[in-house]
Amino acid sequence: MRGSLSLLFSFSVFSAALLVRCHASPAKSGGVQILRPEFQYTNPKLPPRAFTQSDKYEGSSDLVHLRYHMGPVLSSPINIYIVWYGNWAPSQQVIIRDFLASISASDVPSPSVAEWWRTVTLYADQTGANISRSVRIADEYSDRRCSQGKQLTRLSIQDVIAEAVRSKPFSIDHRNGIYLVLTAVDVTVQDYCRAVCGFHYFTFSSKVGYTLPYAWIGNSGKQCPEVCAYPFAVPGYMGGGGPGALTAPNGDAGVDGMISVIAHELAEMSSNPLVNAWYAGEDPTAPTEIGDLCEGLYGTGGGGGYIGQVMKDQRGSTYNMRGRMGRRFLVQWVWNPILRACAGPNALD
């Protein structure tokens, strides 16, 4: 819930990459067939986080006390209603749609987004009903004119949803629906870039008419990519040190950075939709949720300044999961309640 300001104020130094001949594609040179590896493993070295003394690697059962507080989880098929707030390029929308569609895709090679979501589905409510594996985009609404202005507060985001409900009219799906408000690069939001890259909560009946789980995530491409799209952008004060930012797998640092935040918030919204289900800590107004426990971890060996072992393709793009339509994404891991550690489908152990 607290957003994904992972690995703030840090610089990137690459360790030597271990070349792996995996999923090789053939090429011919002088009549001789040469195998070119589709990807190589790499373990980007990042410095320790500035605001934590934690030395845990991929989570720690000794330090984490995740508990169930008797509230509901999203166990019914999940319908996502997207509100595109501001001016969005069609190419950006397609990347996000493909990621969301990948959550339930069954024909994607490992490591896949669908396999990542299976960790989320391990969480259940008091009846034993697990979070649903069925996630789909049910409807979309474009608020290009920014009906609530270009400077939003946390509360006015609920007005954005209310406007979508009135204008579409958007479905009031109080059984299976979750609402995703995505703001464009020129829209500012309270605490954005300073404290959060996204958050989730639930609507007030006085605003929308129902209590509906929702999340907001912003496109940081112009405002603070070095914070909310890290490691696809780096702070300017780094100068020329190190090899610089990682290359975004879909060619858009702002949107590729958004993908991991969207994943973070969807995982937490599904396991803690009304802020009374799965979280660590005693304060429900500031819960530590299954995404928060794994911020900055993307692969085996992550933690203590490393994002972990991820993959780099022939173009130099960095990713750790595959999606539909040949898409690739870099998505942070989530807390596995069985392993009592952070986990993802690209784990090497």
Side-chain angles (χ1 to χ4, degrees):
M1 172 177 288
R2 294 176 299 182
S4 292
L5 285 175
S6 48
L7 306 168
L8 185 61
F9 306 127
S10 44
F11 60 89
S12 171
V13 180
F14 282 89
S15 65
L18 174 63
L19 188 64
V20 178
R21 291 188 175 276
C22 183
H23 301 285
S25 56
K28 289 188 177 180
S29 176
V32 178
Q33 190 177 61
I34 301 173
L35 290 180
R36 292 178 180 172
E38 179 187 347
F39 67 86
Q40 60 184 359
Y41 286 113
T42 184
N43 199 343
K45 173 72 168 68
L46 306 177
R49 301 182 211 179
F51 304 118
T52 179
Q53 298 301 314
S54 172
D55 60 355
K56 63 187 177 67
Y57 285 74
E58 298 175 32
S60 168
S61 58
D62 295 329
L63 300 177
V64 174
H65 300 285
L66 186 72
R67 294 194 300 115
Y68 176 55
H69 296 80
M70 306 304 289
V73 300
L74 299 183
S75 57
S76 299
I78 299 170
N79 295 332
I80 300 178
Y81 296 85
I82 304 176
V83 180
W84 302 99
Y85 194 82
N87 189 25
W88 284 87
S91 59
Q92 295 176 322
Q93 293 176 316
V94 168
I95 296 170
I96 293 172
R97 289 190 192 106
D98 282 344
F99 171 73
L100 295 174
S102 297
I103 293 175
S104 294
S106 59
D107 56 349
V108 177
S110 183
S112 69
V113 174
E115 291 172 318
W116 169 83
W117 185 256
R118 285 174 201 160
T119 298
V120 179
T121 67
L122 295 175
Y123 291 87
D125 63 18
Q126 58 186 311
T127 71
N130 292 78
I131 292 173
S132 177
R133 288 193 179 188
S134 174
V135 180
R136 72 180 188 96
I137 299 173
D139 208 347
E140 302 178 46
Y141 173 70
S142 294
D143 192 340
R144 294 186 182 88
R145 296 184 178 181
C146 298
S147 61
Q148 307 305 311
K150 290 194 173 183
Q151 295 179 317
L152 301 176
T153 65
R154 285 176 175 259
L155 189 58
S156 67
I157 288 175
Q158 297 196 25
D159 293 318
V160 171
I161 297 172
E163 179 67 23
V165 168
R166 288 191 297 266
S167 301
K168 176 72 174 174
F170 233 12
S171 299
I172 295 287
D173 189 350
H174 63 280
R175 288 186 176 274
N176 302 332
I178 61 175
Y179 294 76
L180 206 56
V181 178
L182 306 177
T183 51
V185 290
D186 58 345
V187 177
T188 62
V189 177
Q190 179 184 358
D191 295 329
Y192 189 29
C193 297
R194 184 187 66 82
V196 295
C197 299
F199 67 81
H200 76 92
Y201 205 57
F202 53 86
T203 61
F204 303 145
S205 57
S206 59
K207 287 281 188 180
V208 184
Y210 289 89
T211 298
L212 306 169
Y214 75 92
W216 157 77
I217 300 95
N219 183 341
S220 67
K222 292 184 179 178
Q223 296 183 50
C224 58
E226 71 283 359
V227 176
C228 293
Y230 192 87
F232 300 129
V234 296
Y237 63 77
M238 291 180 185
L246 303 183
T247 301
N250 296 291
D252 189 316
V255 174
D256 277 300
M258 278 186 83
I259 293 296
S260 192
V261 186
I262 290 172
H264 177 118
E265 299 303 333
L266 283 178
E268 294 185 341
M269 182 162 45
S270 298
S271 57
N272 196 28
L274 301 182
V275 201
N276 60 357
W278 289 95
Y279 63 87
E282 300 302 323
D283 184 0
T285 65
T288 299
E289 300 171 289
I290 69 171
D292 299 325
L293 293 169
C294 303
E295 278 193 11
L297 300 180
Y298 297 84
T300 299
Y306 290 88
I307 70 171
Q309 198 91 333
V310 293
M311 294 172 283
K312 187 193 293 186
D313 65 20
Q314 295 174 342
R315 300 171 301 165
S317 301
T318 304
Y319 68 102
N320 65 347
M321 297 177 200
R322 294 183 173 94
R324 67 188 295 271
M325 306 299 291
R327 293 283 185 189
R328 295 170 179 179
F329 305 103
L330 186 67
V331 178
Q332 75 147 81
W333 286 5
V334 291
W335 185 260
N336 185 309
I338 297 175
L339 299 178
R340 295 182 61 79
C342 297
N346 58 309
L348 299 177
D349 53 10

